[in-house]
Amino acid sequence: MQRSDATSGLTHLPPDSPVRRQDFLLGVATAAFQIEGASNTDGRLPSIWDTFCRAPGKVLNGDNGDVACRHYEKWAEDVELIAGLGVDAYRLSVAWPRVMHADGRKNDKGLDFYKRLLDRLREKGLDTYVTLYHWDLPQHLEDRGGWLNRETSYRFADYADLLSRELAGRVTAWSTLNEPWCSAFLGYGNGHHAPGLSSTRYATQALHHLLLGHGLALPALQVNDPAARRGIVANVGAASPASPTPEDREAARLFEVQHNAWILDALFKRQYPDDLFRLWPGSEPLVLDGDMDVIGRPMDYLGINYYFRVHVKSDGAHGYTEVRAEGVERTQMDWEVHPDSLRRLLIGFKRDYPGLPPIYITENGCACDDRIEDGRVRDPQRLSYIDRHLSAVDGAMREGVDVRGYFIWSLMDNFEWAFGYERRFGIVHVDYDTQQRTLKDSALAIRDFLAARTP
């Protein structure tokens, strides 16, 4: 067996860290649009990302998801790859356009793909964490307003009902949504992601309908698949003031209101933060009676995705502006590496949201400009990144935060949304011409770490 002789492994964790125990779940993650390909196969419908990729200038190099990593064809090989790493779990998403026809009927061919995949994963002893929505809204729903249309929340609940009936017993834990902040703000607020609209008023309304869909889906998941846990995945942001002035400290606080409290207050306090509308005057969404009670329905866990910290200063009015810090470590995405912000945020969430359910870090990882040299991919920055963030999780757990697991983003290099195939997050290298998968040094070190865990 090839071992990670060029790395020192995960060295920042104390020997007694709970992260080193077998009861702390460690997994890898992907998303359907980013790896599956086969965009016109077996009745799959177009999604908003198929449309967005074909709009000139929206995706780097004009890349699209038509082929991606050919996971739809190579799924059995990929399951062997995952199992060979020794991880406990695999987090994946289902492509809504692959499993439902436009009239709401199920697409058996698409469903059969996920049934085979999930069955094989369970045969390999892997827990399955399944996300219902990882950004690939069927285009026919966007044509009727997408997440700006309240009706989409109800169509999402129908989809959740169908999928949880069809896949019942195959799923360890369901996530309703992945990163609703990104779907709402990047998709409808600044146009960086599909469907490419730009209005803060659109962003707040889309976010409300996303969260409403989440709440509407929870009862069906409970009834149809009662043994599976139910939750949602939120991306969170960390800010540091550019100076110690009160104005810049307030700017950093407002950044975290916009990135974190916007979602978490709705889920756990059943209200949107008033400060959000100081940032975006006049952007209040239309909220009907009872909506917040639906959104605030109890969950079994909360997924947290964290990647980087930003520096901000006051804009001199009612908000903030980001500034570039010099002399800091950055990834291929130009994101600052700051593991301690993850620890700080987790401790703050425990403080601010009494009754918070158990947390899983559902995404954390690092994009690097990885290349195969002499049959090997050396990625020391990625391994160091994962090591230090696991140490940050350990620090939060020692402060009483109930963190149950951690998923690396991602299993393999894939379609990185607006950045196409240039940015590589995988611990497994993908040659997009040959579809050859190659374990990077980080994957080898993680495999060794997992094999050495204590009971």
Side-chain angles (χ1 to χ4, degrees):
M1 177 184 291
Q2 185 181 0
R3 299 187 70 84
S4 51
D5 58 295
T7 71
S8 57
L10 303 177
T11 60
H12 283 74
L13 285 171
D16 65 342
S17 172
V19 175
R20 292 185 179 273
R21 294 201 304 259
Q22 292 174 3
D23 59 356
F24 184 86
L25 182 141
L26 283 163
V28 289
T30 64
F33 190 84
Q34 294 180 268
I35 67 168
E36 284 182 0
S39 60
N40 297 305
T41 301
D42 291 338
R44 180 188 177 276
L45 301 175
S47 77
I48 56 174
W49 271 95
D50 295 294
T51 302
F52 191 72
C53 287
R54 283 159 176 75
K58 295 296 186 182
V59 177
L60 193 64
N61 301 319
D63 291 338
N64 60 58
D66 289 357
V67 176
C69 304
R70 287 177 53 189
H71 175 70
Y72 192 74
E73 304 165 42
K74 298 171 71 67
W75 66 271
E77 174 186 331
D78 290 338
V79 170
E80 294 295 329
L81 183 68
I82 297 164
L85 291 171
V87 296
D88 305 307
Y90 179 46
R91 177 174 175 248
L92 65 146
S93 75
V94 171
W96 188 350
R98 197 180 291 286
V99 298
M100 289 186 82
H101 297 295
D103 61 4
R105 291 179 299 114
K106 65 179 181 177
N107 178 359
D108 282 317
K109 289 184 178 179
L111 286 165
D112 286 346
F113 165 72
Y114 294 108
K115 289 175 181 177
R116 292 193 303 271
L117 173 60
L118 291 167
D119 285 345
R120 187 67 58 84
L121 289 163
R122 300 304 289 269
E123 288 171 10
K124 295 293 181 179
L126 290 155
D127 285 349
T128 50
Y129 282 66
V130 176
T131 303
L132 289 166
Y133 183 69
H134 201 126
W135 306 357
D136 44 0
L137 184 72
Q139 181 61 44
H140 67 87
L141 292 178
E142 181 60 36
D143 292 342
R144 296 199 288 271
W147 291 110
L148 297 178
N149 183 351
R150 185 180 176 90
E151 189 64 23
T152 302
S153 305
Y154 293 89
R155 300 291 73 77
F156 177 74
D158 293 342
Y159 162 57
D161 180 48
L162 169 68
L163 207 61
S164 56
R165 282 187 281 109
E166 290 289 329
L167 302 184
R170 293 176 164 94
V171 176
T172 304
W174 294 97
S175 295
T176 53
L177 307 174
N178 177 77
E179 300 185 345
W181 185 94
C182 290
S183 296
F185 186 73
L186 300 181
Y188 293 86
N190 69 6
H192 183 63
H193 281 183
L197 303 181
S198 302
S199 162
T200 54
R201 179 68 178 81
Y202 288 168
T204 58
Q205 193 64 65
L207 191 281
H208 181 67
H209 289 155
L210 281 153
L211 294 183
L212 181 63
H214 153 79
L216 291 169
L218 290 175
L221 299 178
Q222 175 64 33
V223 169
N224 296 336
D225 199 8
R229 298 190 294 276
R230 303 166 302 144
I232 191 172
V233 170
N235 60 297
V236 298
S240 177
S243 79
T245 65
E247 292 80 8
D248 284 359
R249 288 199 298 269
E250 174 66 1
R253 188 187 71 83
L254 289 172
F255 175 96
E256 294 188 3
V257 166
Q258 195 258 346
H259 284 75
N260 306 336
W262 184 16
I263 313 298
L264 300 181
D265 279 14
L267 292 170
F268 299 114
K269 296 182 178 179
R270 302 187 180 191
Q271 63 187 28
Y272 294 112
D274 291 338
D275 284 338
L276 181 69
F277 308 114
R278 284 177 51 206
L279 288 169
W280 298 334
S283 65
E284 294 87 343
L286 176 62
V287 178
L288 301 188
D289 288 346
D291 282 2
M292 301 312 294
D293 288 334
V294 171
I295 289 170
R297 284 172 172 161
M299 297 180 290
D300 300 313
Y301 73 95
L302 172 66
I304 292 290
N305 295 355
Y306 170 82
Y307 288 96
F308 60 94
R309 180 180 72 168
V310 301
H311 295 255
V312 299
K313 66 178 182 180
S314 171
D315 65 1
H318 56 267
Y320 61 83
T321 184
E322 296 183 23
V323 296
R324 183 177 178 81
E326 300 300 331
V328 301
E329 180 186 354
R330 295 185 180 275
T331 70
Q332 188 191 21
M333 294 291 287
D334 200 35
W335 293 344
E336 181 192 0
V337 178
H338 198 263
D340 195 58
S341 287
L342 174 58
R343 182 195 63 82
R344 176 181 66 81
L345 288 172
L346 291 173
I347 293 170
F349 297 154
K350 178 180 183 294
R351 177 194 65 233
D352 295 340
Y353 301 102
L356 193 72
I359 289 173
Y360 290 81
I361 307 303
T362 36
E363 286 183 27
N364 180 245
C366 173
C368 303
D369 185 16
D370 300 320
R371 304 170 189 275
I372 297 179
E373 297 177 351
D374 301 322
R376 178 174 175 179
V377 182
R378 297 168 174 84
D379 59 339
Q381 185 187 26
R382 177 174 294 107
L383 182 60
S384 175
Y385 180 102
I386 293 169
D387 184 11
R388 286 175 286 161
H389 283 81
L390 282 172
S391 183
V393 170
D394 172 84
M397 294 173 72
R398 291 173 189 271
E399 292 290 329
V401 183
D402 186 4
V403 184
R404 303 282 180 89
Y406 172 97
F407 289 82
I408 297 167
W409 185 269
S410 63
L411 167 66
M412 66 179 78
D413 298 332
N414 54 52
F415 177 79
E416 185 47 44
W417 307 111
F419 293 100
Y421 294 98
E422 183 181 271
R423 312 295 166 91
R424 292 181 176 269
F425 275 92
I427 60 171
V428 176
H429 181 276
V430 177
D431 182 318
Y432 296 116
D433 293 326
T434 66
Q435 293 295 330
Q436 177 68 37
R437 277 85 156 126
T438 302
L439 298 182
K440 301 178 186 180
D441 278 3
S442 59
L444 298 172
I446 290 160
R447 186 185 65 190
D448 293 349
F449 171 80
L450 290 165
R453 284 185 298 173
T454 57

